[in-house]
Short mmCIF file of all heavy atoms in Angstrom, two decimals:
data_model
loop_
_atom_site.label_atom_id
_atom_site.label_comp_id
_atom_site.label_asym_id
_atom_site.label_seq_id
_atom_site.Cartn_x
_atom_site.Cartn_y
_atom_site.Cartn_z
N PRO A 1 49.27 138.33 48.20
CA PRO A 1 50.43 138.57 47.33
C PRO A 1 50.98 140.00 47.42
O PRO A 1 52.20 140.19 47.38
CB PRO A 1 49.89 138.27 45.93
CG PRO A 1 48.82 137.25 46.17
CD PRO A 1 48.17 137.69 47.46
N GLN A 2 50.11 140.99 47.58
CA GLN A 2 50.56 142.37 47.70
C GLN A 2 51.44 142.55 48.94
O GLN A 2 52.42 143.29 48.92
CB GLN A 2 49.38 143.35 47.76
CG GLN A 2 48.46 143.29 46.58
CD GLN A 2 47.35 142.25 46.75
OE1 GLN A 2 47.40 141.35 47.59
NE2 GLN A 2 46.33 142.36 45.91
N ALA A 3 51.07 141.90 50.04
CA ALA A 3 51.84 141.99 51.27
C ALA A 3 53.20 141.33 51.11
O ALA A 3 54.21 141.84 51.61
CB ALA A 3 51.07 141.37 52.43
N VAL A 4 53.25 140.22 50.40
CA VAL A 4 54.53 139.55 50.15
C VAL A 4 55.44 140.47 49.33
O VAL A 4 56.62 140.62 49.64
CB VAL A 4 54.32 138.20 49.42
CG1 VAL A 4 55.66 137.56 49.08
CG2 VAL A 4 53.47 137.26 50.27
N ALA A 5 54.89 141.10 48.30
CA ALA A 5 55.69 141.99 47.46
C ALA A 5 56.21 143.19 48.27
O ALA A 5 57.37 143.58 48.12
CB ALA A 5 54.87 142.46 46.26
N ARG A 6 55.37 143.77 49.13
CA ARG A 6 55.83 144.88 49.99
C ARG A 6 56.97 144.43 50.87
O ARG A 6 57.97 145.14 51.06
CB ARG A 6 54.68 145.39 50.87
CG ARG A 6 53.77 146.38 50.21
CD ARG A 6 52.86 147.08 51.24
NE ARG A 6 52.22 146.19 52.18
CZ ARG A 6 51.06 145.57 51.97
NH1 ARG A 6 50.41 145.74 50.83
NH2 ARG A 6 50.53 144.79 52.89
N TRP A 7 56.84 143.24 51.45
CA TRP A 7 57.87 142.69 52.33
C TRP A 7 59.17 142.48 51.59
O TRP A 7 60.24 142.85 52.08
CB TRP A 7 57.34 141.38 52.94
CG TRP A 7 58.33 140.64 53.78
CD1 TRP A 7 58.83 141.01 55.00
CD2 TRP A 7 58.93 139.39 53.47
NE1 TRP A 7 59.69 140.05 55.46
CE2 TRP A 7 59.77 139.05 54.54
CE3 TRP A 7 58.83 138.52 52.39
CZ2 TRP A 7 60.53 137.88 54.56
CZ3 TRP A 7 59.58 137.35 52.40
CH2 TRP A 7 60.41 137.04 53.48
N VAL A 8 59.11 141.93 50.38
CA VAL A 8 60.32 141.70 49.59
C VAL A 8 61.00 143.03 49.26
O VAL A 8 62.22 143.17 49.40
CB VAL A 8 60.01 140.90 48.31
CG1 VAL A 8 61.19 140.89 47.35
CG2 VAL A 8 59.61 139.47 48.67
N ARG A 9 60.22 144.03 48.84
CA ARG A 9 60.81 145.34 48.53
C ARG A 9 61.48 145.93 49.77
O ARG A 9 62.55 146.54 49.67
CB ARG A 9 59.76 146.27 47.95
CG ARG A 9 59.36 145.89 46.53
CD ARG A 9 58.49 146.95 45.86
NE ARG A 9 57.12 146.97 46.34
CZ ARG A 9 56.14 146.19 45.87
NH1 ARG A 9 56.38 145.33 44.90
NH2 ARG A 9 54.93 146.29 46.36
N ALA A 10 60.87 145.75 50.94
CA ALA A 10 61.48 146.25 52.18
C ALA A 10 62.79 145.51 52.48
O ALA A 10 63.76 146.13 52.94
CB ALA A 10 60.49 146.10 53.34
N LEU A 11 62.83 144.22 52.21
CA LEU A 11 64.07 143.46 52.42
C LEU A 11 65.20 144.02 51.56
O LEU A 11 66.34 144.15 52.02
CB LEU A 11 63.87 141.99 52.09
CG LEU A 11 63.06 141.17 53.08
CD1 LEU A 11 62.81 139.77 52.52
CD2 LEU A 11 63.77 141.08 54.42
N PHE A 12 64.91 144.36 50.33
CA PHE A 12 65.93 144.91 49.44
C PHE A 12 66.39 146.29 49.91
O PHE A 12 67.48 146.73 49.57
CB PHE A 12 65.44 144.96 47.99
CG PHE A 12 65.50 143.63 47.31
CD1 PHE A 12 64.35 143.00 46.87
CD2 PHE A 12 66.71 142.99 47.10
CE1 PHE A 12 64.40 141.76 46.25
CE2 PHE A 12 66.78 141.75 46.48
CZ PHE A 12 65.63 141.13 46.05
N ARG A 13 65.57 146.96 50.71
CA ARG A 13 65.97 148.24 51.30
C ARG A 13 66.66 148.05 52.65
O ARG A 13 67.03 149.03 53.31
CB ARG A 13 64.75 149.14 51.48
CG ARG A 13 64.16 149.65 50.17
CD ARG A 13 63.10 150.72 50.39
NE ARG A 13 62.05 150.35 51.32
CZ ARG A 13 60.90 149.77 50.98
NH1 ARG A 13 60.66 149.47 49.72
NH2 ARG A 13 60.01 149.49 51.89
N GLY A 14 66.81 146.81 53.10
CA GLY A 14 67.52 146.54 54.35
C GLY A 14 66.66 146.29 55.56
O GLY A 14 67.17 146.09 56.66
N ARG A 15 65.35 146.28 55.42
CA ARG A 15 64.44 146.04 56.54
C ARG A 15 64.24 144.54 56.70
O ARG A 15 63.77 143.87 55.80
CB ARG A 15 63.10 146.71 56.28
CG ARG A 15 62.13 146.55 57.41
CD ARG A 15 60.88 147.39 57.15
NE ARG A 15 59.89 147.05 58.13
CZ ARG A 15 58.74 146.44 57.86
NH1 ARG A 15 58.44 146.10 56.64
NH2 ARG A 15 57.89 146.16 58.82
N ARG A 16 64.58 143.99 57.86
CA ARG A 16 64.53 142.54 58.08
C ARG A 16 63.38 142.09 58.98
O ARG A 16 63.21 140.91 59.22
CB ARG A 16 65.83 142.05 58.72
CG ARG A 16 67.03 142.37 57.91
CD ARG A 16 67.45 141.19 57.15
NE ARG A 16 68.64 141.55 56.40
CZ ARG A 16 69.09 140.85 55.42
NH1 ARG A 16 68.48 139.76 55.06
NH2 ARG A 16 70.15 141.22 54.76
N THR A 17 62.61 143.00 59.49
CA THR A 17 61.53 142.60 60.40
C THR A 17 60.36 142.04 59.61
O THR A 17 60.14 142.41 58.47
CB THR A 17 61.06 143.79 61.25
OG1 THR A 17 60.64 144.84 60.38
CG2 THR A 17 62.16 144.28 62.17
N PRO A 18 59.61 141.12 60.21
CA PRO A 18 58.47 140.53 59.49
C PRO A 18 57.40 141.55 59.17
O PRO A 18 57.25 142.56 59.85
CB PRO A 18 57.93 139.48 60.46
CG PRO A 18 58.90 139.37 61.57
CD PRO A 18 59.77 140.58 61.54
N GLU A 19 56.67 141.26 58.12
CA GLU A 19 55.50 142.06 57.74
C GLU A 19 54.47 141.91 58.87
O GLU A 19 54.33 140.84 59.46
CB GLU A 19 54.94 141.50 56.44
CG GLU A 19 53.69 142.15 55.96
CD GLU A 19 53.91 143.48 55.25
OE1 GLU A 19 55.06 143.83 54.95
OE2 GLU A 19 52.92 144.16 55.02
N PRO A 20 53.76 142.99 59.21
CA PRO A 20 52.70 142.84 60.21
C PRO A 20 51.69 141.78 59.79
O PRO A 20 51.48 141.57 58.60
CB PRO A 20 52.05 144.22 60.25
CG PRO A 20 53.06 145.15 59.66
CD PRO A 20 53.87 144.33 58.70
N ARG A 21 51.10 141.13 60.76
CA ARG A 21 50.12 140.09 60.47
C ARG A 21 49.04 140.62 59.54
O ARG A 21 48.47 141.66 59.76
CB ARG A 21 49.50 139.60 61.78
CG ARG A 21 48.47 138.51 61.55
CD ARG A 21 47.99 137.91 62.83
NE ARG A 21 49.06 137.11 63.36
CZ ARG A 21 49.12 136.68 64.61
NH1 ARG A 21 48.17 136.97 65.44
NH2 ARG A 21 50.12 135.95 65.01
N SER A 22 48.77 139.85 58.48
CA SER A 22 47.79 140.31 57.49
C SER A 22 46.59 139.39 57.39
O SER A 22 45.72 139.61 56.57
CB SER A 22 48.46 140.41 56.12
OG SER A 22 48.97 139.15 55.74
N GLY A 23 46.53 138.37 58.19
CA GLY A 23 45.41 137.44 58.11
C GLY A 23 45.38 136.56 59.34
O GLY A 23 45.85 136.92 60.40
N ALA A 24 44.90 135.36 59.15
CA ALA A 24 44.80 134.41 60.26
C ALA A 24 46.20 133.94 60.67
O ALA A 24 47.07 133.77 59.83
CB ALA A 24 43.95 133.22 59.84
N PRO A 25 46.43 133.74 61.95
CA PRO A 25 47.73 133.24 62.39
C PRO A 25 47.96 131.81 61.88
O PRO A 25 47.02 131.10 61.54
CB PRO A 25 47.64 133.27 63.91
CG PRO A 25 46.18 133.26 64.21
CD PRO A 25 45.50 133.92 63.05
N ARG A 26 49.21 131.44 61.83
CA ARG A 26 49.58 130.10 61.38
C ARG A 26 48.93 129.06 62.30
O ARG A 26 48.97 129.15 63.51
CB ARG A 26 51.10 129.95 61.43
CG ARG A 26 51.56 128.63 60.90
CD ARG A 26 53.07 128.56 60.84
NE ARG A 26 53.56 129.63 60.00
CZ ARG A 26 54.65 130.32 60.27
NH1 ARG A 26 55.36 130.08 61.33
NH2 ARG A 26 55.05 131.28 59.46
N ASP A 27 48.33 128.10 61.69
CA ASP A 27 47.66 127.01 62.39
C ASP A 27 48.21 125.71 61.84
O ASP A 27 48.13 125.48 60.63
CB ASP A 27 46.15 127.11 62.15
CG ASP A 27 45.37 125.95 62.74
OD1 ASP A 27 45.97 125.03 63.33
OD2 ASP A 27 44.14 125.96 62.59
N PRO A 28 48.80 124.85 62.68
CA PRO A 28 49.38 123.62 62.15
C PRO A 28 48.34 122.71 61.48
O PRO A 28 48.71 121.83 60.71
CB PRO A 28 49.98 122.94 63.39
CG PRO A 28 49.33 123.58 64.55
CD PRO A 28 48.90 124.95 64.11
#
């Protein structure tokens, strides 16, 4: 959740790049 909040705050500042990987990669 902390990483999601950091990412959202960055979006509001105009940063559109994804947050660096913070855990296991997406697995279908």
Side-chain angles (χ1 to χ4, degrees):
Q2 302 88 343
V4 176
R6 277 193 313 273
W7 175 69
V8 169
R9 288 190 285 275
L11 287 173
F12 282 116
R13 291 189 307 269
R15 182 173 171 247
R16 302 260 181 196
T17 57
E19 176 79 11
R21 180 173 287 164
S22 59
R26 183 175 301 141
D27 175 359

